[in-house]
Amino acid sequence: MIARRADGYEISDDNDRLEIELIHDWLSTDAFWALGRSLETVRRSIAGSVNFGVYDESGKQVAFARVVTDLATFAWLCDVYVDRVHRGLGIGTWLTATIRDHLAPFQLKRVLLSTKDAHEVYARAGFVKFPDPERLMYMTFTS
């Protein structure tokens, strides 16, 4: 366990606690950036990341996030998802701030993320707009 709130929610980075099928369901059916993502892809993405689960007082997983990082210079925060039943309780901001604090000792040069509609959530954890987005580039692979 990394953090616990007074209301019983806790954050863990223990991969053995992750409910991978549940995470797959969330991402592949309700997360606009991951619609249709296969279970195998979710498994591989988790295997190659530093992962965080949020659990309610009964131990049921209610949120997930992962960080792709070398733990030396760079990190990408992605697949942040809070179960719809548990939204509006500050879990997303708490999870993001906890991840920020977890990464701080590594003194990374930059942590990036992409968001369509949750700018305020991430701003509360210290994220700001990229100062010069014209420097960013990306590549996609088509099948």
Side-chain angles (χ1 to χ4, degrees):
M1 183 198 51
I2 294 176
R4 181 186 302 270
R5 291 194 333 188
D7 59 5
Y9 287 99
E10 69 178 33
I11 297 174
S12 172
D13 64 348
D14 180 354
N15 284 352
D16 291 336
R17 291 186 69 185
L18 295 174
E19 298 177 36
I20 295 176
E21 290 79 14
L22 176 62
I23 295 166
H24 170 254
D25 184 59
W26 286 338
L27 296 178
S28 67
T29 66
D30 194 39
F32 69 86
W33 66 90
L35 294 175
R37 186 178 290 174
S38 73
L39 179 58
E40 176 56 27
T41 297
V42 170
R43 287 185 194 281
R44 284 192 341 235
S45 68
I46 287 172
S49 302
V50 178
N51 304 289
F52 300 86
V54 180
Y55 304 87
D56 68 12
E57 62 281 349
S58 72
K60 181 181 182 323
Q61 187 169 356
V62 301
F64 172 74
R66 66 186 185 92
V67 178
V68 180
T69 183
D70 58 12
L71 294 176
T73 63
F74 177 79
W76 179 268
L77 175 60
C78 53
D79 289 342
V80 179
Y81 186 92
V82 178
D83 186 288
R84 289 185 175 273
V85 174
H86 297 269
R87 291 182 188 171
L89 303 174
I91 291 172
T93 297
W94 177 53
L95 175 58
T96 303
T98 300
I99 291 169
R100 175 203 61 213
D101 296 346
H102 184 80
L103 294 175
F106 298 102
Q107 298 180 333
L108 305 173
K109 180 175 176 122
R110 185 168 286 130
V111 179
L112 295 180
L113 65 82
S114 176
T115 185
K116 177 179 163 184
D117 56 5
H119 294 78
E120 291 178 28
V121 169
Y122 299 114
R124 286 191 284 263
F127 282 88
V128 296
K129 288 184 177 184
F130 201 81
D132 41 6
E134 65 279 355
R135 297 172 113 196
L136 293 176
M137 296 179 71
Y138 72 98
M139 176 188 305
T140 60
F141 294 93
T142 58
S143 25

